[in-house]
Amino acid sequence: MDKPLILVTNDDGIDSEGLYKLVKELNHIGNVVVVAPDHQQSAVGHSLSIAKPLRINKFHRNGVVLGYAINGSPTDCVKLALSTILDNTPDLIVSGINYGQNTSINILYSGTVAAATEGYLVGIPSVAVSLTTYDTSFDSSYAAILTTEIIRNYLNFKGKFNTLLNVNIPALPKEKIKGIKITKCSNSYWNDKYERRIDPFGREYFWFAGEYCSIDDDPDSDDWALKNGYVSITPIRYSFTDFELIEKLQKWDIIESSLFLKS
């Protein structure tokens, strides 16, 4: 049986150690193609580059081509891969391993999750993977092994579903990770704050210094799982329409207003 075609991307950049360790493990179960940003793109969300040309360059690591580096966002990378770089549609898209957890409201800002979302939107099974640390020196080897086993299960899953899996892994030694929990997004939020600073020329600028407030003690939530030493897997699906409000809005006076001429 042919190995599945797996597209790997991220938002930390193609030179990220997390991506490299993940690719090494995924090569055991699939044919891996890497298309990732050529520089750090964290927290860019689902942004697209429409005011600059995008360039595709081969990226080498240890004298071998690792993949394709794009001077754009994670979403740019997935769109370019699907429309231009790949000859065949991948069986799976994996985004990560990201440094910094992507739980709760963070999924709206995350370039990691956005890249996986792009796959989900066109019907390709997709997985976003993050570690609960911003320390890029943290060894992501075990996280890569865990991720590969999760993906093996995902690929072998009998039921078909159009969703994406958001995986978050505690930055803990192997022996301290308690297991895996299937979770929902918590109700955590950001307490926004910007530090006022002065550059060397005396000009004012501001630097984001917000605090992530994890307030959810629900044991079924992603943040609870991570705080208690579990890997969190949250299935995510987007639905933008507020169907409950449609009926109420139909009762607005302006809907039947004389402002609109009836023929």
Side-chain angles (χ1 to χ4, degrees):
M1 183 177 178
D2 292 338
K3 286 185 176 181
L5 177 60
I6 301 174
L7 172 63
V8 175
T9 189
N10 70 354
D11 74 358
D12 286 338
I14 197 167
D15 59 347
S16 167
E17 197 66 21
L19 180 144
Y20 181 62
K21 293 287 178 62
L22 178 60
V23 167
K24 285 177 65 177
E25 291 298 326
L26 289 178
N27 276 325
H28 296 307
I29 66 169
N31 296 315
V32 178
V33 178
V34 177
V35 183
D38 63 4
H39 63 285
Q40 173 64 252
Q41 290 280 303
S42 291
V44 299
H46 216 115
S47 66
L48 279 174
S49 299
I50 60 172
K52 69 175 184 180
L54 292 175
R55 304 189 188 279
I56 303 172
N57 291 296
K58 290 182 178 179
F59 178 83
H60 294 77
R61 179 156 179 164
N62 300 327
V64 177
V65 174
L66 177 67
Y68 300 93
I70 311 297
N71 62 324
S73 70
T75 301
D76 291 328
C77 292
V78 174
K79 284 184 174 291
L80 265 176
L82 298 181
S83 66
T84 306
I85 297 173
L86 297 176
D87 293 326
N88 299 299
T89 301
D91 298 291
L92 182 76
I93 295 175
V94 185
S95 182
I97 296 172
N98 179 69
Y99 288 96
Q101 72 189 61
N102 281 308
T103 53
S104 187
I105 195 171
N106 292 315
I107 65 174
L108 296 178
Y109 306 117
S110 167
T112 302
V113 178
T117 299
E118 190 61 35
Y120 149 73
L121 289 175
V122 296
I124 301 171
S126 300
V127 180
V129 189
S130 303
L131 268 170
T132 61
T133 180
Y134 292 102
D135 180 5
T136 56
S137 67
F138 181 86
D139 187 359
S140 56
S141 298
Y142 185 60
I145 292 171
L146 275 176
T147 299
T148 302
E149 286 307 306
I150 290 170
I151 287 170
R152 193 193 303 273
N153 278 266
Y154 192 30
L155 289 170
N156 292 333
F157 191 74
K158 299 300 182 185
K160 293 202 173 183
F161 47 87
N162 184 25
T163 190
L164 71 91
L165 298 184
N166 186 35
V167 179
N168 283 273
I169 301 173
L172 296 171
K174 174 182 177 180
E175 61 274 10
K176 291 192 176 181
I177 295 181
K178 297 178 181 177
I180 294 175
K181 279 188 171 290
I182 308 302
T183 57
K184 62 183 180 181
C185 290
S186 78
N187 294 316
S188 302
Y189 65 95
W190 279 95
N191 182 14
D192 292 336
K193 183 176 74 171
Y194 288 81
E195 291 182 357
R196 178 181 177 274
R197 301 180 183 180
I198 302 296
D199 72 16
F201 298 96
R203 297 173 299 194
E204 181 181 64
Y205 70 97
F206 295 86
W207 198 275
F208 180 71
E211 178 187 7
Y212 183 60
C213 301
S214 181
I215 60 172
D216 205 330
D217 290 327
D218 186 341
D220 291 329
S221 72
D222 48 12
D223 278 325
W224 186 95
L226 293 171
K227 284 190 293 185
N228 288 274
Y230 291 92
V231 175
S232 164
I233 302 179
T234 307
I236 295 174
R237 177 178 292 177
Y238 295 92
S239 178
F240 298 111
T241 304
D242 187 339
F243 291 99
E244 183 179 346
L245 192 56
I246 285 180
E247 186 175 345
K248 295 177 181 178
L249 292 179
Q250 293 288 2
K251 298 176 182 178
W252 279 12
D253 292 340
I254 195 171
I255 303 300
E256 296 297 329
S257 171
S258 59
L259 288 170
F260 305 103
L261 299 177
K262 305 292 191 297
S263 57

